[in-house]
Amino acid sequence: MTLRVGMLTSGGDAQGLNSTMRGVGRALLNAEQEVKILGFLNGYHGLMHSSYRHMTDIDFAGILTLGGTILGTSRQPFKLVNDPLYENEPEGITKLEAMIQTYDDLSLDALVVLGGGGTQKTANLLSENGLNVIHLPKTIDNDLSGTDRTFGFQSAVNIATEVIDGIHTTATSHGRVFIVELMGNKVGWLALHAGVASGADVILIPEIPYDPIKVVQALQDRERGKKRFSIIAIAEGAISVEESKMPKDEFEELRKGSNSVAYHLQDQLEALMIQEIRVCVPGHFQRGGTPSAFDRILTTEIGVEAANAVLEGDFGIMIGVKGRELVRVPLKKVAGQVNYVTLDDPVLLAARKMGIFFGD
Ligand code: F6P
């Protein structure tokens, strides 16, 4: 019997999508059982509209080091999954129904889905509706529960570290304060790890609301210690203590005018001190380019383990990593849960002992 396996990449891209698909594809095509792989184009959009192509051995050649995703991706918000597929047919088929229909029409035996938190929630819903789904944890944010690491994270840390390293030299020459804003959505993993790896002086993350006055004091302490420059690594989701107490609508109103959190912090700090502050926002650059060696190995392992699970008929799971072990985590246990930086995180604690200031 030939196994028919669908595969797709969904949500924001990250390094390691292609290398993961290579792991899945090679291991499946090398298996004793005959396997056909159907790659859906542009994430769940392709599954909804039955837009796919057959993937053979040649599709997985030369993509280990390639950034982005050869299948394309799109954002399909989970909250819209029960909306009509076509806006002009409000009573017609829903997005969820369309995905199930494609899976049935193509007689799929399994669906391997690469994506982050939103993708995972839809994967879980499809699994609850009887589809044989395996989710592979991709995101530069590292914000998925049930796994120590998501792929893409380490590559993004490397890029963000290089950015801050570069900023360090110019900040030193000019004796300036620099704010570098890093991605990470609502969690601070990327800012924490890149900040520690690059020797940032202040790291501000959403999990620890910051006090702007204390940040200024920390910068002034450095000046008094004859350190002519300071680097602040701030996660895009960071908030001040005052903001953390505001109702959501008031907070959104406050932030509406400012470009992003780094510029907001610049305004806050400049109101409190007379010093040149510069901002650097590397943005999507952090998601670009080739996966790091770490991510190439991790994604190869995860991809092969996903193929093992398909061949064993083990579904409704995410392939995660705990310590040095790969783990199969039930999707229903982790879908929708966010992995925040905890206050006893070893990297955070070490950073505090090094004198890195967290704004609290
Ligand atoms: O989830 C990955 C991520 O890069 C976040 O860090 C960031 O907040 C978001 O995606 C950006 O989304 P978009 O690519 O839609 O601008």
Side-chain angles (χ1 to χ4, degrees):
M1 190 193 99
T2 303
L3 269 184
R4 293 172 62 79
V5 180
M7 186 151 65
L8 61 86
T9 58
S10 168
D13 72 346
Q15 302 90 340
L17 285 165
N18 290 326
S19 53
T20 308
M21 289 195 276
R22 174 178 174 269
V24 178
R26 284 257 167 99
L28 282 177
L29 297 175
N30 284 339
E32 277 176 20
Q33 191 166 2
E34 200 193 340
V35 180
K36 291 242 178 289
I37 303 175
L38 287 72
F40 290 98
L41 306 181
N42 305 321
Y44 286 125
H45 186 272
L47 185 61
M48 288 168 198
H49 296 276
S50 198
S51 161
Y52 66 95
R53 64 181 167 94
H54 289 282
M55 300 180 89
T56 59
D57 195 41
I58 195 71
D59 291 299
F60 301 111
I63 63 168
L64 172 64
T65 59
L66 195 64
T69 159
I70 57 169
L71 288 179
T73 186
S74 63
R75 290 201 184 276
Q76 300 291 332
F78 176 72
K79 59 179 182 218
L80 304 182
V81 77
N82 288 311
D83 280 14
L85 180 62
Y86 301 107
E87 271 176 34
N88 57 356
E89 290 177 26
E91 302 306 322
I93 187 171
T94 67
K95 294 178 180 190
L96 176 63
E97 288 163 347
M99 289 192 279
I100 296 170
Q101 192 173 312
T102 302
Y103 182 94
D104 289 340
D105 288 350
L106 295 173
S107 305
L108 293 182
D109 299 296
L111 179 68
V112 179
V113 169
L114 288 68
T119 301
Q120 187 189 56
K121 285 199 265 183
T122 301
N124 183 45
L125 185 63
L126 292 171
S127 169
E128 284 172 350
N129 278 272
L131 275 54
N132 293 331
V133 181
I134 296 174
H135 169 239
L136 308 185
K138 163 250 56 170
T139 164
I140 65 164
D141 305 334
N142 198 45
D143 61 351
L144 299 182
S145 280
T147 184
D148 291 348
R149 282 286 166 272
T150 57
F151 59 84
F153 173 67
Q154 197 58 53
S155 305
V157 169
N158 289 358
I159 293 176
T161 301
E162 261 188 56
V163 169
I164 303 178
D165 286 350
I167 292 296
H168 246 120
T169 61
T170 177
T172 313
S173 308
H174 287 268
R176 279 175 171 156
V177 173
F178 260 87
I179 302 172
V180 183
E181 179 181 306
L182 303 170
M183 279 188 166
N185 202 6
K186 297 193 169 65
V187 305
W189 292 109
L190 184 51
L192 174 64
H193 280 234
V196 170
S198 61
D201 308 298
V202 177
I203 300 177
L204 304 178
I205 59 175
E207 292 86 345
I208 306 175
Y210 66 87
D211 179 342
I213 295 174
K214 288 187 183 168
V215 174
V216 167
Q217 282 163 357
L219 297 176
Q220 287 169 342
D221 282 351
R222 280 182 54 80
E223 253 185 280
R224 273 194 290 276
K226 307 245 175 311
K227 290 164 182 154
R228 292 184 61 239
F229 69 93
S230 292
I231 306 282
I232 303 173
I234 186 166
E236 63 180 349
I239 49 170
S240 68
V241 175
E242 202 187 337
E243 289 160 350
S244 71
K245 294 178 184 150
M246 283 177 186
K248 199 168 167 236
D249 50 346
E250 196 181 320
F251 171 69
E252 281 168 1
E253 187 58 33
L254 178 84
R255 285 286 183 90
K256 218 166 68 186
S258 59
N259 274 333
S260 67
V261 70
Y263 293 96
H264 179 65
L265 179 68
Q266 182 186 31
D267 290 345
Q268 286 176 315
L269 298 185
E270 283 183 346
L272 294 166
M273 64 194 284
I274 307 157
Q275 185 158 11
E276 271 189 303
I277 299 179
R278 293 284 192 272
V279 169
C280 169
V281 184
H284 291 76
F285 187 58
Q286 294 162 92
R287 278 183 4 203
T290 188
S292 65
F294 178 94
D295 270 336
R296 291 179 203 179
I297 296 168
L298 177 65
T299 53
T300 299
E301 288 185 303
I302 287 180
V304 171
E305 182 63 358
N308 291 341
V310 168
L311 296 167
E312 290 163 26
D314 190 6
F315 300 116
I317 53 169
M318 170 185 75
I319 308 292
V321 52
K322 283 277 167 197
R324 277 297 305 138
E325 300 290 317
L326 291 176
V327 286
R328 297 181 184 182
V329 188
L331 272 176
K332 60 173 178 299
K333 264 185 138 179
V334 287
Q337 286 179 39
V338 178
N339 174 29
Y340 291 101
V341 176
T342 55
L343 297 185
D344 62 352
D345 176 77
V347 177
L348 175 70
L349 291 181
R352 283 202 195 270
K353 291 209 168 158
M354 293 287 295
I356 296 176
F357 183 63
F358 282 85
D360 56 341

